[in-house]
Amino acid sequence: MSNKIRINMLPAEEGDCFLISCGAGEEKVNILIDGGRSNTYTEQLFPILSNMHKKGEKIDLLIVTHIDQDHIQGIIRLLEKNESSSMPVVISISQIWHNAYLQLQFDRSEELTEHQIQIVEEIVARGDGERDQARHEISYRQGSTLGALLYEGGYQWNVASHGRAISRENLESFCLSDEVKIDLISPTNRKLEELAEEWLKHLENQNYMGKPGSGTLFNDAYEMMLLREKDKKKRRKTAILCRIEEWEDYLQEKIYEDKSAANGSSIAFVLTFKEKRILYLGDAHPSVIVENLDKLYKDHETQPYYFDAIKIAHHGSAGNTTSSLIERMESPIYLISTNGKNEHPDLNTLIRIVERKSASRELVFNYSTPSEVYMSKQKEKQSELGFKTMIKNYIEI
């Protein structure tokens, strides 16, 4: 059996879509993480999955890290085209991890008034916040049905945690084979509770009184709320496109941790295959990552904890890569997935990562962005600190 880990970091516009394969032959394990935008599925992911299907391969685990347009649109397309778990058209998927409305923990009502139903229907009718409807062909039916597609397709959904939320407390670790193991480091149940509290507050702001319901209407409304709120926050972000300052100025910038409840719900994990391991940070909150990395390693390893590759959190956003987290992780390969939209990756994130001297450290991008161009031009710093930049979609470790 091959001891290689192959990482496809697909061009997913401003989002994420990773296909990670461990080993080879009959013992090969394939993990698909998020699906990027709709075009990601059509132009990038489908050809790969179709070829895998022809060779008799399957997706052993599909992970939807959290609900956000640039992570789930491609997965929605995949599940629509795949039709069902029992008779897949595109590819067989053994199991799926996804935390939806069903996994939120709060009291629900089985009987709803007409007024309550009307309010929730109005939330759904407002859509998912996608601004370019014609380009992406996202409609209410498509944008709200991730949970419904999993249920109606008969997929093995969160079976590893017995139907409960995928969280650190509910599923500390999971073995996909004798050689492939996943250790959960995000989310915690508390982070999922914060998301539930935000949902309930949103309902109250819409003049909804009483307990929420338990049906598919609420599942759709919950997804719509998350997608719309995330989209609003991205629109409000100040449009400063990779301002250019002196290297030292970036090191002096204050970093404030991301407070988004949706990002806090993101699945993040350590993937171990034989002697190799990958730190996949999703869009998770750094304080949670720090806490759970210490729980995993502090009793038998010294900081920084070594990984063969690290997928940087939230497309390189500074608020998801604090100094405390950087101090705890080291790798020869740092993966950054974004086309530069939303001003990602932040230059101070990249600079703080490479500022520690190293014999060899690569910043690997799947697009050329203003930040990538800036870092690639820093030849003196590259020589002094021992780093280099490159643009590629396929990495083998």
Side-chain angles (χ1 to χ4, degrees):
M1 182 180 182
S2 169
N3 63 353
K4 297 287 188 181
I5 300 178
R6 291 165 295 281
I7 304 171
N8 267 301
M9 181 171 61
L10 301 181
E13 301 188 25
E14 75 273 35
D16 284 344
C17 181
F18 283 72
L19 178 61
I20 301 177
S21 300
C22 303
E26 293 182 358
E27 297 181 353
K28 184 178 181 181
V29 173
N30 296 307
I31 305 168
L32 176 61
I33 309 159
D34 291 335
R37 290 285 187 170
S38 299
N39 290 343
T40 309
Y41 172 75
T42 305
E43 299 171 7
Q44 304 290 336
L45 186 56
F46 173 70
I48 294 174
L49 297 182
S50 180
N51 186 53
M52 290 172 59
H53 183 61
K54 290 176 182 177
K55 294 190 295 185
E57 294 188 35
K58 63 180 178 178
I59 298 298
D60 295 276
L61 174 62
L62 166 57
I63 299 175
V64 181
T65 58
H66 65 300
I67 297 174
D68 195 354
Q69 300 277 18
D70 54 15
H71 293 255
I72 73 168
Q73 282 186 359
I75 298 303
I76 289 173
R77 283 287 182 269
L78 167 59
L79 296 180
E80 286 176 335
K81 300 298 183 182
N82 211 35
E83 295 188 3
S84 73
S85 175
S86 59
M87 298 185 66
V89 173
V90 180
I91 194 167
S92 176
I93 304 173
S94 297
Q95 60 174 305
I96 299 176
W97 291 0
H98 169 54
N99 292 330
Y101 178 75
L102 178 67
Q103 280 76 36
L104 296 182
Q105 297 298 310
F106 46 66
D107 292 336
R108 291 175 167 88
S109 174
E110 298 300 327
E111 296 184 3
L112 301 175
T113 67
E114 290 185 9
H115 177 68
Q116 289 173 321
I117 293 173
Q118 180 182 354
I119 288 175
V120 179
E121 287 178 341
E122 288 174 355
I123 293 173
V124 173
R126 282 194 289 270
D128 60 11
E130 180 58 45
R131 284 162 281 173
D132 195 350
Q133 296 275 338
R135 177 184 176 195
H136 295 289
E137 298 180 355
I138 294 295
S139 67
Y140 149 60
R141 182 184 65 80
Q142 295 167 335
S144 67
T145 56
L146 179 54
L149 285 167
L150 293 176
Y151 180 77
E152 293 169 4
Y155 291 96
Q156 296 294 297
W157 178 8
N158 287 11
V159 292
S161 58
H162 307 287
R164 299 176 297 171
I166 299 295
S167 70
R168 171 71 180 172
E169 291 87 350
N170 295 343
L171 186 70
E172 284 193 11
S173 64
F174 182 76
C175 293
L176 282 166
S177 73
D178 291 340
E179 301 281 1
V180 180
K181 179 186 178 185
I182 292 177
D183 289 295
L184 263 292
I185 51 176
S186 175
T188 60
N189 284 342
R190 178 56 197 150
K191 288 298 179 182
L192 294 175
E193 288 170 4
E194 290 175 5
L195 190 58
E197 290 165 4
E198 184 173 289
W199 161 241
L200 293 175
K201 183 178 180 180
H202 181 79
L203 283 180
E204 291 175 2
N205 290 340
Q206 304 301 312
N207 296 318
Y208 184 100
M209 304 296 291
K211 298 177 182 178
S214 57
T216 57
L217 178 63
F218 276 81
N219 179 75
D220 289 346
Y222 170 73
E223 288 191 18
M224 290 297 184
M225 182 274 292
L226 287 183
L227 294 173
R228 288 187 65 83
E229 291 305 306
K230 288 278 289 186
D231 194 61
K232 287 179 184 177
K233 290 174 183 177
K234 289 174 183 177
R235 291 190 221 183
R236 288 196 296 264
K237 187 168 181 178
T238 304
I240 302 176
L241 184 58
C242 190
R243 65 196 184 286
I244 302 302
E245 299 178 359
E246 294 297 324
W247 184 279
E248 295 300 325
D249 292 336
Y250 290 106
L251 294 173
Q252 302 305 316
E253 289 183 355
K254 284 190 174 182
I255 305 300
Y256 299 95
E257 177 161 337
D258 178 15
K259 297 299 182 183
S260 163
N263 287 345
S265 74
S266 177
I267 294 173
F269 57 89
V270 177
L271 171 66
T272 303
F273 174 57
K274 295 188 175 180
E275 300 302 318
K276 298 177 179 178
R277 63 190 190 194
I278 297 171
L279 178 60
Y280 192 97
L281 294 176
D283 284 6
H285 287 171
S287 58
V288 172
I289 301 300
V290 166
E291 177 184 357
N292 287 316
L293 283 178
D294 283 346
K295 287 180 180 178
L296 272 176
Y297 301 124
K298 71 177 181 180
D299 290 340
H300 53 278
E301 295 185 22
T302 57
Q303 296 179 16
Y305 310 125
Y306 178 86
F307 302 92
D308 294 277
I310 297 174
K311 185 272 184 189
I312 294 299
H314 198 201
H315 322 291
S317 173
N320 300 82
T321 313
T322 58
S323 297
S324 181
L325 175 56
I326 290 175
E327 291 169 0
R328 282 168 171 78
M329 62 185 193
E330 182 58 286
S331 177
I333 300 173
Y334 289 82
L335 306 173
I336 303 101
S337 174
T338 182
N339 63 358
K341 189 175 180 181
N342 302 316
E343 290 76 61
H344 291 152
D346 287 323
L347 269 172
N348 58 27
T349 296
L350 306 179
I351 289 172
R352 286 183 294 114
I353 287 173
V354 303
E355 184 63 22
R356 303 162 297 165
K357 291 184 179 181
S358 170
S360 176
R361 185 184 287 122
E362 296 180 2
L363 300 179
V364 181
F365 304 82
N366 57 355
Y367 289 93
S368 177
T369 67
S371 296
E372 178 273 325
V373 171
Y374 176 88
M375 296 298 287
S376 69
K377 291 180 178 179
Q378 306 303 309
K379 301 304 180 183
E380 290 187 9
K381 287 293 185 180
Q382 289 181 27
S383 177
E384 175 190 345
L385 299 173
F387 77 91
K388 60 182 178 179
T389 67
M390 57 182 57
I391 301 171
K392 58 182 179 180
N393 305 127
Y394 179 83
I395 303 98
E396 192 172 277
I397 59 176

